Amino acid sequence: MTSIAASERLTLSALLEGQTAAHLVVAADDLGWWQQLMRREEKIVPTTGLQRALARALHRFGWLAPDGDGYRLTEDGHEIAFNRGFVRVTTRGWEPTFRQIGSAAATADIVPAQTDPDAVARGCTDIALRHPETLQAIAARVAQDTEPGSTVDLGCADGGRLQIIGEFGHTEQLIGVDIEAGVIDTARERLAGLGFADRVRLRAGSVQPGDELPAWLDEGIRSDVTTAMSFNLMHQLASDGGGIDAVLGAWLDWFPNVRRFVIGDVVRSAGVQWHEQPWFAPTFEIYHELTGVRVWRDDEYADAFASLGFRVAEHLDKDHEAMMVWIAER
Ligand SMILES: C[S@@+](CC[C@H](N)C(=O)[O-])C[C@H]1O[C@@H](n2cnc3c(N)ncnc32)[C@H](O)[C@@H]1O
């Protein structure tokens, strides 16, 4: 057993206060505070007793600084605000799964993932919006195609990524598919509100390959798709579906005219102990081990593209140490 240096141990204090802080970060996000505070010139002014208590607590954690009748963001607070999507996904999105573990562990090897789909969708979109340049790079590639095409987002959640692709690529047609009908409704609202209604098709259904073509895959979508993208879902689909190459291979059958895959996912990190890994990686890996889902290595994604005759045109890894995006073309 390797011992963990005292300075790297997860302390009891961090365990307890961290959980309280995470709930308060999500509450402040529900009030729209982080977004408001990130516009540097703005401060928030609490107007109720609850808001004043919340703001005082965030001040005690070091993330807000008092300023006249309100509060501004500190440097540490900026990092929290910038990454609040991770806090929402882990605190609210995955909480239903973590809650079951103790009771299931007596008899079961894994616990089925149970999520709050809206919290996962909103958190994931907030994560994506932190680095619009990643999606800008994808839109720029798509724009290089001699003929405009259609980009499908497989597991599109509330449509946040389609929104950015649509904003940068003015002629691209957009298609989104997600297994959660509720988040597809949110995506429809979001994209219609931004004026994309006439160039977006949204479908509720599974993108997990099976023996038959999925019901949502009509002939129009089949032949139109030229770019197939999927973010933060492949690890799960590949675990259930015989590997990354098997999933990509099935999608090639679904979309015969696809020129490009854009896959984004969290990769397995080299470290074992939590302090040897970038933040979020231990939580991601533990959550998936508990739910029986593999987390795949960077080279396993690269091998899968190569095995299907796709060349990695871009490998984007500036967002987070454990989050990669591959643009693979043929
Ligand atoms: C971790 S979230 C990622 C959301 C989004 N792609 C992103 O990265 O911003 C996974 C999404 O995939 C959806 N999903 C899970 N299993 C699916 C399946 N078999 N088919 C289609 N969507 C699925 C979930 O509802 C959720 O919206």
Side-chain angles (χ1 to χ4, degrees):
M1 258 298 289
T2 50
S3 63
I4 302 176
S7 60
E8 291 166 335
R9 269 181 220 139
L10 189 60
T11 61
L12 185 58
S13 160
L15 176 71
L16 292 175
E17 270 59 74
Q19 172 170 245
T20 304
H23 284 296
L24 299 184
V25 165
V26 178
D29 196 28
D30 288 339
L31 290 168
W33 281 6
W34 300 121
Q35 208 178 359
Q36 196 180 332
L37 288 162
M38 296 257 296
R39 294 191 286 267
R40 281 304 173 124
E41 69 285 3
E42 287 200 29
K43 63 179 183 179
I44 54 108
V45 181
T47 54
T48 66
L50 206 46
Q51 289 185 22
R52 282 188 285 277
L54 176 58
R56 270 196 300 273
L58 295 170
H59 171 216
R60 288 165 80 182
F61 286 119
W63 300 329
L64 296 186
D67 181 3
D69 57 348
Y71 291 85
R72 285 189 189 281
L73 210 51
T74 62
E75 277 310 308
D76 286 350
H78 189 270
E79 192 190 2
I80 302 296
F82 185 69
N83 291 304
R84 65 191 184 278
F86 294 90
V87 183
R88 183 179 293 274
V89 169
T90 58
T91 307
R92 292 284 164 81
W94 292 348
E95 193 274 344
T97 297
F98 284 117
R99 186 183 281 267
Q100 304 173 71
I101 294 163
S103 51
T107 52
D109 291 326
I110 58 168
V111 74
Q114 268 186 24
T115 61
D116 174 334
D118 294 323
V120 171
R122 178 164 166 194
C124 284
T125 287
D126 282 337
I127 291 170
L129 294 176
R130 289 149 63 246
H131 282 285
E133 71 277 8
T134 301
L135 286 143
Q136 233 171 315
I138 297 163
R141 283 239 150 224
V142 167
Q144 282 171 15
D145 290 344
T146 45
E147 288 171 26
S150 296
T151 294
V152 66
D153 189 3
L154 300 159
C156 67
D158 62 10
R161 291 180 196 268
L162 285 172
Q163 172 192 340
I164 303 176
I165 296 285
E167 281 168 355
F168 288 113
H170 298 290
T171 53
E172 192 70 2
Q173 297 291 312
L174 310 170
I175 302 165
V177 188
D178 199 284
I179 200 164
E180 294 287 344
V183 305
I184 285 291
D185 290 342
T186 310
R188 189 165 287 122
E189 225 169 88
R190 168 195 282 272
L191 294 167
L194 294 163
F196 291 126
D198 56 345
R199 60 182 176 116
V200 68
R201 283 169 278 181
L202 292 163
R203 301 283 185 269
S206 178
V207 302
Q208 178 82 62
D211 294 337
E212 290 173 12
L213 293 183
W216 58 264
L217 184 60
D218 59 46
E219 273 312 311
I221 292 181
R222 267 205 98 178
S223 59
D224 287 354
V225 168
T226 44
T227 296
M229 61 180 205
S230 186
F231 285 82
N232 301 318
L233 182 58
M234 180 56 87
H235 59 281
Q236 178 195 315
L237 300 176
S239 298
D240 294 341
I244 302 166
D245 53 347
V247 175
L248 292 175
W251 287 351
L252 276 181
D253 291 341
W254 290 5
F255 311 119
N257 298 320
V258 82
R259 304 172 192 142
R260 174 182 303 108
F261 281 125
V262 180
I263 304 296
D265 218 327
V266 180
V267 295
R268 176 164 290 287
S269 47
V272 176
Q273 305 279 11
W274 73 274
H275 65 282
E276 297 169 317
Q277 299 186 291
W279 61 267
F280 184 60
T283 297
F284 188 84
E285 292 181 11
I286 292 166
Y287 175 79
H288 287 97
E289 185 180 353
L290 292 166
T291 54
V293 173
R294 249 196 88 179
V295 178
W296 304 72
R297 296 188 313 269
D298 197 358
D299 60 294
E300 291 176 303
Y301 286 89
D303 289 349
F305 295 123
S307 74
L308 294 163
F310 279 70
R311 172 185 65 83
V312 176
E314 279 185 64
H315 183 202
L316 307 164
D317 60 0
K318 298 284 177 286
D319 183 344
H320 178 288
E321 271 175 85
M323 292 172 74
M324 310 285 164
V325 177
W326 301 265
I327 305 180
E329 298 182 337
R330 64 170 175 181

